[in-house]
Amino acid sequence: MTDGASLLNRGLTAHQAGDLPGALALYRQVLAQDRANADAIHLIGVIAYQTGDPLTAINVIGRAIAIDDRNPAYHSNLGEALRVTGALDQAAASHARAIDLDPGFIDAHRNLGVVELARGNAQAAADSFQRALARDAASAPSWHGLGLALEALGRASEAVEAFAACLRHDPGHADARQRHDALSATVATENPEVSPTAPPAAPPADWQDLLLADVRAQCRNPGGPERLAVIEQLCDTLLNGQPALPRRLLDALEEDPPCGDPILDASVQFRLSGDLYHYERLIHTVIGNGADWPLDVAQAVYWSISRQIFLGRPLGTRLAVFTAGDLPRFYRWILREVKRRFAVAPKPFTVRAGEPRRIAIVTNQFTRPMHQPSRDAFDYARRLQDAFGCAVLLVNGNLLPSAVLTAFVPPFQAVVTPGLAGPVTVSEDGATVRTWSSVERSLSEAKIRGLVETIEGFDPDLVVSFGGSVLAADLFAGVRPTICIPTTSGLTCSMADILLSFDDGDPTVGLPEEYRASFAERLRPFRFGYSAPPEAPGARRAAFGLPDDAFVFTVVGGRLDEEVTSAFIERLDALLDLCPNALVAFAGPVATLPGRLASARNAGRLRSLGFVPEIRALYHVADAYLNPPRQGGGGSAAYALADGLPVVTLNQGDVAAVVGPSRAASQWDAFTERARRLAHDPAFRRDESEEARRLFAGIDARHAAVERLLAYGRALMERFAAR
């Protein structure tokens, strides 16, 4: 940490403790080192406001905004200083700017409500307080402000209820008590006072209508990609942990779509409904107007839809047919258009006799070091090379969208590692593998030709598509022997000559025959297998800041901001209520999760550890592994089993495929009961720990998986030779 940052943090600590002179001195020391430090300037302005000098505050905070116009707190605090000077129109504009920058900024919504009340705009004030309550239904000041606005509107009965809600959250609020009691005497007897011991108040009934209006406004906002994050945040708030909005709101969206952009309309409507009909319609629009769609935009649409499916957001009613019908059809259309528009035709190939000796492993994304599929691709490559004597080239196409190309909610961007450009030798744990990567951030003719020429230049006997929808590999399907190794359970879009299963199962079971046939005829049984990193037997809880006397559940993943939803946090809260001696430790890179955990009922027992480089060190000190509802997570769960960590999961996705149906819960009650019993019954936990190690012995089969892959490759080469 720099000296300036350290001084600023010390100033904040003093400021929060009420030591305003001490804080002011530290902020001035920051400015002595950096006269353009906007945070220090802003906070000096805040102190001016707090010490009764709003005119100085307006001037100083204005200087901070001139340096950094994108900080919502600056604008909101400027609005407060303007309000107390009577500049109400300017104050309203400042709060509105703060909300535009951060629609979830509760204080700005509440402060705007106060300004609107002062301007005499009672309905606008009520709307602002309702927006604040939609984000925090326990805010006593927001309930108080709503009560004042409703009283001004002549809605006395509703005002009484709002003041009662304020008192439930702040029993000592004197003004709310006085107004509640005075109004109660004038309200009819059918509107009795709500007891302060009643359950916590819910947001006002029409809060969703207000937020939906905000969604429409943002969709029509001509701003840049940052507005997509704003729309996603609004959608999350609207859903409030539920899978879909009420039918009346969804019908209103269909009758009057948000903005007329087919991509943004479909993605918002899907996000708020989970109904794949909207994606079906979008796919048909793209294919039906194909000549008007750039390929990189169509590719971004395909991957953005696929990501929403991977995150488990669709309702189940259309899922099977969509993933077996519409989505593969869309992928095949993109593949055909790549061949047609770029005039790409891989050269005919003469099969060599014998075993497959030269193998190209082609993946859409290869990064280091946290990306589990990258670790798996490297492991397959090194085993083929070092244990089976094959010449291997790991080809990284970077064919996932790496820039925001579509108005998609939420926007999806994959990580590209710039250092992996062209031919690069990658080493890890004593093994070395040749790689070739394209880092061009678009689906262009030059990119595709470079990938095809690289693969043809290596002249492989076998092209292995590592993961589904690996376009660079699928260009060779039918030309060279091509096998797809899916990296997740369920169906995967691939044109490979042989399509392997993930867990020795048949993902086509239950599909209508017209969809099943094209997959089933290429499908072969296969188990992906896992290979655990080294053990960490000397690990201690102190290294993670975890107490020795607690039962530690852990949640692990690379996308915890998306996978740990508000609904899952509520489930964890309920579980911790049943397990007073337990806590949950989250391991993985995060940005928004810590803030959401802080508002949970058991926030003190929900610990975000950030990225843990040696995950088995955490598993060595944890007691059980909890899996949120998601498609991925198979690798992290497998490594947990290796350390004897019992896994608690619903019967869905990769984790359920790893532990098997007998230890996957069919519903949330069973999930919670298994976790509760592990925490309360030491004998049960010991038995499940032994079973976990036994389960891992069955899936610790990477060497056998490579043997099986080569056997399928040999049979496929013989089939090609006989043509």
Side-chain angles (χ1 to χ4, degrees), residues 207-259:
W207 69 273
Q208 287 181 312
D209 299 270
L210 291 166
L211 288 186
L212 194 57
D214 290 348
V215 170
R216 290 184 186 280
Q218 287 294 333
C219 287
R220 293 165 183 166
N221 180 350
E226 65 274 4
R227 73 179 172 136
L228 298 178
V230 171
I231 296 169
E232 165 72 358
Q233 182 181 350
L234 287 168
C235 289
D236 278 347
T237 304
L238 261 169
L239 288 167
N240 195 29
Q242 299 303 308
L245 290 187
R247 187 72 255 168
R248 68 175 183 84
L249 295 176
L250 297 178
D251 288 345
L253 272 177
E254 290 201 23
E255 291 171 13
D256 181 18
C259 65

Side-chain angles (χ1 to χ4, degrees), residues 20 56 492 599 685:
L20 299 187
T56 297
T492 187
S599 63
R685 198 269 171 192

Side-chain angles (χ1 to χ4, degrees), residues 56-145:
T56 297
I58 291 168
N59 177 56
V60 174
I61 296 174
R63 287 169 49 204
I65 290 173
I67 297 169
D68 178 7
D69 183 49
R70 304 293 300 174
N71 192 311
Y74 297 1
H75 291 279
S76 185
N77 286 329
L78 176 62
E80 280 298 275
L82 288 164
R83 177 181 64 81
V84 300
T85 67
L88 298 180
D89 291 346
Q90 293 171 273
S94 290
H95 290 309
R97 173 61 173 158
I99 291 166
D100 184 55
L101 291 169
D102 180 4
F105 195 171
I106 297 169
D107 288 350
H109 285 287
R110 185 174 60 245
N111 291 338
L112 180 57
V114 173
V115 172
E116 294 293 8
L117 269 179
R119 295 167 87 191
N121 299 331
Q123 185 58 58
D127 290 349
S128 289
F129 290 124
Q130 286 178 324
R131 287 186 169 102
L133 289 166
R135 293 157 171 85
D136 180 10
S139 169
S142 297
W143 282 113
H144 176 247

Side-chain angles (χ1 to χ4, degrees), residues 550-555 568-586 597 600-607 626 671-672 675-676 679-680:
F551 188 95
V552 176
F553 295 106
T554 187
V555 179
F568 186 61
I569 293 173
E570 289 179 11
R571 301 281 183 186
L572 296 179
D573 250 340
L575 172 62
L576 292 176
D577 289 342
L578 298 172
C579 306
N581 193 42
L583 60 83
V584 182
F586 299 83
L597 296 178
R601 186 171 59 258
N602 290 295
R605 293 192 286 149
L606 296 169
R607 312 280 183 86
L626 300 180
F671 179 102
T672 302
R676 186 204 65 78
H680 285 275

